[in-house]
Structures are given as structure tokens and as C-alpha cells.
């Protein structure tokens, strides 16, 4: 066992920013907008660092796919305690069209190359809400998956994962190597302390291209249009239930 | 996008964090339309490579500090303002553990040994705290009560007072101003008379930020009978010594969450080794850090002014008057543009003064100019913006009224406007000759 964990982190528009759609409805405005690490990716990094602190694993390698700015996100993870980073350089149109399938292929290739024991990802990104990369990565590697994890325990060469599902909690036991996707309650990410932020400067970030990993990132999807959600119309206050029934009949909904 | 709202809401429920909600006027809306509790300021620069003084590390520092502010400080500000104090030991411990209290302090005592531009970055980020009292209290801990100790104190003294202050285990306060001496530091009356191996201290201090909860005070006292600029010394005084009396907590117009004390010293005995550096050099030591104190104060208020402008824009955009948003009236958006322009000018002055300072230059003139402008601009921003909030601006429910009260202090404390003007005139050589 290499004792190495691969963590994928995504640079997304900060959750507090008010999103605006571009006038040509092609996508959302990203220029000059505050970006940060996807919150579920933060939780993934935290889990990996915790495992290292408990000495269950030896090295945390952080991966991000995107243009130069992706390195900022990697640095944040390094400041949280990851050991080194891999920046997969994807720019321009390729980056716009980069989706879960492409990222999973990259993650799978890196997991093999780095001989990772574990791949931890956030369950989904808050910009596209795909919730696919973890599952696809596991399938490509033919590894077990523990998705929506709210608790992960290493037990020898197996892993116990408590999953958050619609009906409650499900506990499964899977073999390693495996893919885990982090859900909200898995942990509370630590603050990157200032000493660690300064130490992160010295940690290594390798830069590779998808082609170097033998990955074809052509997209099979074409985004046709992006629209804002419809504006909430004003409601009407009604006096009695009878009025409500009448209104609903009028609107043709019953 | 749905998950963005969900994540935010779940975050609130699961982790019991109460983000300050700006929803009270806009009513209940779907979160995507909601004005966030952290308005994105217009001055955020994405790339570190072009910034005059900040590198990627500075931005990483700000991001991390911002998280601490959002999760550990801002949710409690309203309560602390109402209570008239905040738990300094608790808050300082959180900041100290993350390394934010010793940014420019020596590494041997737990600091990070970084240059002043990092302190400015910290101060700017602290401006995101939704009151003036807590940043002020932190500023006293990091850049008013401790710099002289860090520079001139003995190793033993630094171990006892500086190290725990940087770790956030001990709360510090500064004892310089007195009831009869504020701007005129040289006329302080507190005396420390030598008796063998001890100093016996008699007198009192005023306007002591953190005074009711501090573990030690950095005290400026007269230690000899010489000329007023050369007879004072700085002494590290534990606040629990017999004879130290916290006379009262002062009720103020603003800065409510910061406890400000009047302290009396009645035959307080302290070992002579508690003196910082050389006897008689206290006045000089304290003067040396004025440039940093002033730039720090400006950095802080710049961020808060940005926030006030953004919140005023958001409020006036949805508040209708005579069928159109208040913001659409030219006098309103033009005035906000004027204010934002002045804020950027002050920011430019701050950053260029900081850039010069970290290269080893004396920036007394620029720092004094920045402090002067900072205090006055904050009052203008507060006053103009409050007007646009109308009746709501006059209530305690909004940030602008708190800012109006808190910001008034800037022209008074940390070097009054008149003192700044005197310094600038000295450099311009326009003062009357003796």
C-alpha cells in the first residue's frame, strides 16, 4: 500500500456571490468574480489531512483541473495540510467544456500513476451540481465507491463508510483502493493557519497536461443555453380555504 | 445552482452558524436573490501578480482570516454589542492559534516574522467584522501594546508577556493616555518611583481598550525627573497585582463591544526587570510605532467603508420612493460614486505608504495624512450613507447606524486629527517659528 491519498479540488464561484448570466445566455459571468474552493472539496481535503494526522495514510496529493488560477485552490489545500499538488492544465474552450466525464478520466489516470490507495472527492460542485465525478472515477478504475460519506473509518484493508441517503443513513464496508465522496457532515474543515499558509509556499505543485496522462478530454455535451431562474411572482393572500380552491380551479391547477 | 442555496442552508442548520441575515427589510426571498451577508466588494483584485504590495500568501491569509471572522466572530457581534463587551480571551485564542496575532512579531516568540504588509492585510480583512470595537481591540493586542516589547524587551520579559499575547493566551492593553493627557503624551502624571529592586507605581490611565479583561498592561510612566520626552519608561505590568484597580467601564457613543476601562494604580509594586528596554526611552519607543498604528487604522476602516457603500447600494436598489428605487435618483448614485472614489484614493495612499515602509523608509508624513483622511472620510461615508437609508438608517437594526457611531472615534483616538495636521504642517514647514 502506497499510503497515498488523491484529493480532487475544484475552483468554483464563491457561494456568497450573486450569480449573473451573460447577456448572450452562453454561461455565467466569471470575470472579476470571487472564486474559492468548492465547499465539499474543502471537506474532502480535511478528511484526507485528518487521516494523515492519525497516521492511517502517508501522503495527501491534491489535484485540480483548470487554468493557472487552479493553482490558488491547490495552495489553499496545501495550507490546510496537503503535501503536494498536481495542476492539470486545461484552458480556454477545453476548460469551458470540462465536465465530470473528462475529470474522472484524469482522476483515474492519476490514481493509477500515483498508485493511490484512496481517492476522495467532494460529492458535487456547487456550480454545476453534477454529482457524477466520484461515481464515474470509481467506475473507470473499477474500484468500490462510498458516496455521500458522513463518516469514514479505515479497518485494515477495508473501509467502513456511513452514507447519507434519502431514507437516513446506510453503512457499508468496501475494499480499498476505493473512491469516497464527501458529504456535508463528514467533518468541519479547519482554518488554514498563517504558519501553514507560509509553509505551503514551499510545497511542490507539478503541472501536467491531460495529453501527458493519455486522456482525451473532448466533450460529448454541448451547452445550448443558460437562463436565470424565473423571478418569483408576487403571491396573493386569501381569506378562506374556499377562496383558495376557487383560485386553484381558475388557474387550472385542479 | 439549487445546491448552492441548499448548501448554505444546510450549513446553517448542521453547524449552527448564524450568518448575519440582511433579510429584515427585503423580506423572505429565495436565497439566490438574497443579498448575501458578505457583499462582494468592488475593489477585490483577482490576480496577486499585479498587486502593489500583496502576494498570493497575502490573499490566502485574508481568505483564511475571513472564514474565522464569518464563523467565530460575526455571528456574535450583535450580542456582544448589546452586552457592551466581548470575550477577548476566547476570540484572541482562536486568532492566536491560527497565527494571526503575531504576524510581524519575532519567530522565537511564536510570531511569523513577516513584514508590515502582512499586518496591513490582516487589518484590512478585520474590517469585515460588523462593528468597530473588535478590530480595535485586536489592533491594540497586535500593534499597540506589543511592538515596543517585541523590539526592545528582554528575552525574559518577552517570554512572560509577548509569547502568550501572540498565542492568544494573555490579553494585553495599552496604558498611555490619562484623564489629563491624551494628545499631549509628554504631560502624563503616572509615576514609577524606584525602591530597591522594584518600581512603585501611582497614578491612573484612561481609555484603556481591553482594560476590564486584560492580563497585563503596557504602561508608560515617569521614571525620573528629567525632561518630559526623556524621563518616561514602558513597563509590563500584570493587571492582577495588588493596587491595580479597574475603576469603571466607560459608557461610550460607539465601539460598544470593546470594553474601555479607567484604571487606577495605588502603590503597585513591580520588579525593575519589567521595564522594556532602556529607562527613559519609553516615549521614544512608543513614538516609533505610530506609523504602523496609523496605517493599521486606515487599512481597517477602508474595508468597512466599502461594505457600507455596498450595503447602501443594495438597500437603495430595492427601496422604492415615488415609484422608483432610491438608487436611481442621480444625487444618490453620484454621491456614492464620489465617496467610492475617495475610498480608492485613500487605499492607494495606504498601499504606497506601506510599500515604502516595508522597504525601510520613514512614512510619518504619509501615515499621518492617511490617518487624517481615514477619520474624516469615514464620517462622511457614514453620514451620507445613513441619509440614504432614511428612517431605517436611524434604527439599531442596520450596520450603517453602528458604523456612524463607531467611526466617529477614528478622528479622535490613535492620534487626533489636530495632531495629524500638526505633523503634516511640520513636514510642510508651515508652523509658526518659535
Amino acid at each position: 500500500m502506497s499510503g497515498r491519498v488523491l484529493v480532487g479540488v475544484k475552483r468554483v464561484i464563491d457561494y456568497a456571490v450573486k450569480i449573473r448570466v451573460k447577456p448572450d445566455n452562453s454561461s455565467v459571468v466569471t470575470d472579476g468574480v470571487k472564486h474559492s474552493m468548492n465547499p465539499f472539496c474543502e471537506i474532502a481535503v480535511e478528511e484526507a489531512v485528518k487521516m494523515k494526522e492519525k497516521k492511517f495514510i502517508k501522503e495527501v496529493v491534491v489535484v485540480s483541473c483548470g487554468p493557472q488560477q487552479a493553482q490558488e485552490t491547490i495552495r489553499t489545500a496545501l495550507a490546510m495540510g496537503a503535501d503536494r499538488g498536481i495542476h492539470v492544465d486545461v484552458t480556454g474552450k477545453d476548460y469551458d467544456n470540462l465536465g465530470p466525464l473528462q475529470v474522472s478520466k484524469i482522476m483515474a489516470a492519476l490514481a493509477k500513476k500515483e498508485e493511490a490507495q484512496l481517492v476522495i472527492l467532494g460529492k458535487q460542485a456547487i456550480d454545476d451540481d453534477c454529482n457524477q465525478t466520484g461515481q464515474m472515477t470509481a467506475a473507470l478504475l473499477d474500484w468500490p465507491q462510498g458516496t455521500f460519506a458522513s463518516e469514514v473509518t479505515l479497518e485494515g484493508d477495508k473501509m467502513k463508510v456511513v452514507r447519507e441517503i434519502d431514507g437516513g443513513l446506510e453503512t457499508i464496508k468496501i475494499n480499498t483502493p476505493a473512491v469516497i465522496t464527501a458529504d456535508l457532515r463528514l467533518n468541519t474543515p479547519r482554518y488554514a493557519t498563517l504558519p501553514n499558509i507560509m509553509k505551503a509556499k514551499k510545497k511542490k505543485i507539478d503541472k501536467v497536461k491531460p495529453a501527458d496522462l493519455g486522456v482525451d478530454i473532448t466533450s460529448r455535451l454541448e451547452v445550448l443555453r443558460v437562463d436565470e431562474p424565473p423571478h418569483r411572482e408576487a403571491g396573493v393572500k386569501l381569506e378562506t380555504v374556499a377562496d383558495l380552491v376557487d383560485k386553484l380551479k381558475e388557474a387550472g391547477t385542479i | 445552482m439549487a445546491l448552492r442555496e441548499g448548501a448554505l442552508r444546510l450549513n446553517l442548520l448542521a453547524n449552527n452558524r448564524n450568518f448575519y441575515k440582511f433579510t429584515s427589510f427585503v423580506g423572505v426571498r429565495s436565497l439566490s436573490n438574497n443579498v448575501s451577508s458578505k457583499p462582494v466588494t468592488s475593489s477585490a483584485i483577482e490576480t496577486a501578480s499585479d498587486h502593489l504590495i500583496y502576494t498570493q500568501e497575502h490573499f490566502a491569509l485574508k481568505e483564511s482570516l475571513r472564514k474565522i471572522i464569518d464563523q467565530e466572530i460575526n455571528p456574535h457581534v450583535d450580542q456582544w454589542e448589546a452586552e457592551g463587551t466581548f470575550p477577548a480571551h476566547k476570540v484572541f485564542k482562536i486568532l492566536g492559534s491560527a497565527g494571526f496575532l503575531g504576524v510581524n512579531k519575532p519567530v522565537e516568540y511564536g510570531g511569523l516574522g513577516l513584514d508590515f504588509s502582512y499586518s496591513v492585510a490582516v487589518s484590512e480583512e478585520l474590517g469585515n467584522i460588523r462593528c468597530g470595537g473588535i478590530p480595535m481591540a485586536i489592533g491594540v493586542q497586535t500593534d499597540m501594546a506589543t511592538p515596543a516589547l517585541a523590539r526592545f524587551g528582554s528575552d525574559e520579559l518577552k517570554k512572560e508577556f509577548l509569547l502568550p499575547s501572540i498565542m492568544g493566551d494573555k490579553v494585553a492593553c495599552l496604558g498611555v493616555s490619562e484623564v489629563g493627557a491624551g494628545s499631549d503624551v509628554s504631560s502624563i502624571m503616572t509615576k514609577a518611583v524606584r525602591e530597591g529592586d522594584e518600581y512603585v507605581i501611582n497614578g491612573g490611565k484612561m481609555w484603556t481598550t481591553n482594560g476590564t479583561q486584560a492580563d497585563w498592561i503596557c504602561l508608560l510612566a515617569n521614571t525620573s525627573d528629567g525632561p518630559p520626552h526623556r524621563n518616561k519608561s514602558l513597563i509590563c505590568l500584570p493587571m492582577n497585582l495588588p493596587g491595580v484597580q479597574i475603576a469603571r467601564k466607560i459608557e461610550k457613543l460607539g465601539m460598544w463591544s470593546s470594553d474601555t476601562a479607567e484604571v487606577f494604580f495605588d502603590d503597585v509594586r513591580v520588579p525593575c526587570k519589567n521595564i522594556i528596554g532602556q529607562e527613559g526611552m519609553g516615549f521614544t519607543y512608543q513614538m516609533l510605532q505610530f506609523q504602523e498604528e496609523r496605517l493599521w487604522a486606515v487599512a481597517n476602516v477602508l474595508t468597512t467603508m466599502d461594505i457600507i457603500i455596498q450595503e447602501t447600494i443594495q438597500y437603495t436598489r430595492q427601496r422604492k420612493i415615488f415609484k422608483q428605487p432610491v438608487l436611481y435618483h442621480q444625487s444618490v448614485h453620484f454621491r456614492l460614486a464620489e465617496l467610492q472614489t475617495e475610498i480608492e484614493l485613500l487605499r492607494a495612499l495606504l498601499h504606497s505608504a506601506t510599500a515604502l515602509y516595508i522597504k525601510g523608509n520613514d512614512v510619518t508624513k504619509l501615515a499621518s495624512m492617511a490617518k487624517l483622511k481615514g477619520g474624516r472620510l469615514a464620517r462622511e461615508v457614514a453620514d451620507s450613507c445613513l441619509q440614504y437609508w432614511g428612517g431605517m438608517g436611524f434604527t439599531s437594526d442596520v450596520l450603517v447606524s453602528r458604523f456612524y457611531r463607531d467611526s466617529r472615534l477614528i478622528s479622535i483616538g490613535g492620534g487626533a486629527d489636530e495632531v495629524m495636521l500638526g505633523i503634516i504642517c511640520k513636514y510642510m514647514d508651515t508652523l509658526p517659528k518659535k
Side-chain angles (χ1 to χ4, degrees), chain A residues 20-227:
Chain A
R20 285 186 210 284
V21 175
K22 283 192 186 148
D24 64 358
N25 291 97
S26 61
S27 60
V28 299
V29 175
T30 52
D31 278 342
V33 170
K34 179 162 192 259
H35 284 66
S36 40
M37 191 190 295
N38 182 39
F40 294 105
C41 298
E42 273 182 17
I43 298 173
V45 173
E46 175 66 24
E47 196 61 22
V49 173
K50 270 204 170 106
M51 283 184 186
K52 191 176 93 156
E53 284 170 346
K54 291 198 197 128
K55 302 224 186 330
F56 291 143
I57 54 139
K58 290 206 206 86
E59 194 187 18
V60 178
V61 181
V62 158
V63 179
S64 193
C65 307
Q68 188 60 23
Q69 292 96 315
Q71 291 204 7
E72 287 164 21
T73 314
I74 296 176
R75 289 236 176 265
T76 307
L78 294 174
M80 283 172 73
D83 297 295
R84 60 182 167 90
I86 301 174
H87 167 211
V88 182
D89 193 25
V90 181
T91 55
K93 273 261 160 268
D94 285 337
Y95 179 59
D96 293 337
N97 295 333
L98 197 70
L101 181 58
Q102 292 73 30
V103 175
S104 327
K105 287 183 188 173
I106 293 171
M107 289 304 295
L110 281 170
K112 287 206 198 101
K113 182 162 176 265
E114 296 285 336
E115 294 175 344
Q117 185 181 330
L118 196 58
V119 174
I120 311 184
L121 303 169
K123 73 170 179 184
Q124 65 198 71
I126 60 171
D127 52 7
D128 55 21
D129 288 337
C130 283
N131 195 321
Q132 297 168 357
T133 308
Q135 292 86 337
M136 285 179 174
T137 308
L140 288 168
L141 287 166
D142 197 26
W143 284 6
Q145 56 185 262
T147 54
F148 307 103
S150 67
E151 204 184 304
V152 173
T153 333
L154 280 165
E155 291 174 358
D157 60 349
K158 295 201 197 297
M159 236 172 14
K160 189 178 90 177
V161 182
V162 178
R163 304 179 58 228
E164 299 214 4
I165 58 175
D166 286 343
L169 297 173
E170 179 193 52
T171 309
I172 59 171
K173 203 169 207 169
I174 55 176
N175 292 326
T176 55
V179 175
I180 301 288
T181 73
D183 207 326
L184 193 65
R185 276 162 280 268
L186 182 57
N187 59 51
T188 308
R190 65 193 60 196
Y191 304 122
T193 67
L194 192 47
N196 285 336
I197 290 171
M198 299 312 291
K199 276 193 209 136
K201 230 167 63 159
K202 301 194 190 90
K203 293 181 182 172
K204 216 164 61 120
I205 300 181
D206 289 315
K207 196 162 159 176
V208 297
K209 285 204 169 302
D212 299 338
L213 302 167
V215 172
D216 167 27
I217 56 168
T218 334
S219 176
R220 270 81 158 153
L221 299 174
E222 186 193 333
V223 172
L224 297 175
R225 204 186 151 81
V226 176
D227 284 300

Side-chain angles (χ1 to χ4, degrees), chain B residues 3-30:
Chain B
L3 191 77
R4 179 184 309 278
E5 303 154 23
L8 181 53
R9 240 183 253 123
L10 275 175
N11 227 344
L12 294 173
L13 295 170
N15 297 302
N16 281 322
R17 294 169 195 160
N18 291 313
F19 286 106
Y20 177 89
K21 276 298 167 201
F22 179 70
T23 51
S24 33
F25 339 96
V26 299
V28 177
R29 283 193 191 177
S30 66

Side-chain angles (χ1 to χ4, degrees), chain B residues 43-59:
Chain B
S43 60
I45 299 175
E46 272 298 297
T47 49
S49 48
D50 295 336
H51 202 280
L52 186 65
I53 49 171
Y54 291 158
T55 64
Q56 213 161 45
E57 282 71 46
H58 291 87
F59 287 111

Side-chain angles (χ1 to χ4, degrees), chain B residues 200-246:
Chain B
V200 181
I201 299 171
N202 278 286
K205 292 293 174 187
M206 189 59 160
W207 313 126
T208 318
T209 301
N210 302 337
T212 67
Q213 18 180 356
D215 296 294
W216 67 282
I217 182 168
C218 180
L219 182 78
L220 187 71
N222 295 307
T223 43
S224 72
D225 288 321
H229 297 97
R230 286 206 287 265
N231 73 334
K232 297 173 170 51
S233 308
L234 284 170
I235 304 169
C236 294
L237 196 70
M239 288 289 274
N240 62 354
L241 290 177
V244 177
Q245 198 199 354
I246 296 160

Side-chain angles (χ1 to χ4, degrees), chain B residues 65-280:
Chain B
L65 179 54
R66 184 62 183 274
K67 284 204 187 102
I68 297 181
I69 293 171
D70 286 339
Q71 286 162 12
E72 309 279 358
I73 300 179
N74 274 343
H76 308 290
V77 164
D78 286 351
Q79 179 202 337
W80 293 338
E81 282 275 299
E83 288 171 358
T85 184
F86 82 105
H89 283 91
K90 186 154 155 271
V91 174
F92 287 3
K93 188 62 195 160
I94 293 171
L95 291 169
S97 306
F100 289 107
L101 294 182
V103 167
N104 61 348
K105 299 289 186 298
V107 177
E108 305 83 67
Y109 301 98
L112 276 127
L114 299 166
D115 66 48
F116 188 64
S117 67
Y118 289 89
S119 305
V120 171
V122 169
S123 174
E124 279 192 358
E125 207 56 29
L126 289 174
N128 284 299
I129 298 178
R130 296 184 73 79
C131 70
I134 295 168
M136 179 172 78
I138 297 170
V140 165
Q141 178 90 355
T142 60
D143 288 274
M144 290 179 88
T146 46
L149 174 60
R151 278 198 197 100
F152 303 106
S154 69
D155 180 55
E156 198 194 326
L157 213 53
K158 283 194 266 203
K159 283 209 179 80
E160 189 182 343
F161 295 103
L162 183 64
L163 197 152
S165 300
I166 292 173
M167 295 289 112
D169 290 318
K170 282 204 172 141
V171 173
C173 66
L174 182 65
V176 173
S177 292
E178 295 181 1
V179 170
S183 295
D184 188 10
V185 176
S186 58
S187 67
I188 57 163
M189 305 275 273
T190 301
K191 271 179 105 125
V193 176
R194 184 147 188 170
E195 271 183 29
D197 250 352
E198 292 179 321
Y199 277 111
V200 181
I201 299 171
N202 278 286
K205 292 293 174 187
M206 189 59 160
W207 313 126
T208 318
T209 301
N210 302 337
T212 67
Q213 18 180 356
D215 296 294
W216 67 282
I217 182 168
C218 180
L219 182 78
L220 187 71
N222 295 307
T223 43
S224 72
D225 288 321
H229 297 97
R230 286 206 287 265
N231 73 334
K232 297 173 170 51
S233 308
L234 284 170
I235 304 169
C236 294
L237 196 70
M239 288 289 274
N240 62 354
L241 290 177
V244 177
Q245 198 199 354
I246 296 160
R248 63 182 175 120
K249 195 178 98 180
I250 304 165
E251 302 266 317
K252 312 180 296 290
L253 170 66
M255 305 289 199
W256 287 344
S257 49
S258 166
D259 52 302
T260 316
E262 182 175 6
V263 187
F264 290 136
F265 305 102
D266 200 7
D267 282 340
V268 180
R269 291 176 172 274
V270 72
C272 282
K273 63 173 176 64
N274 278 33
I275 212 171
I276 294 175
Q278 264 183 289
E279 195 262 311

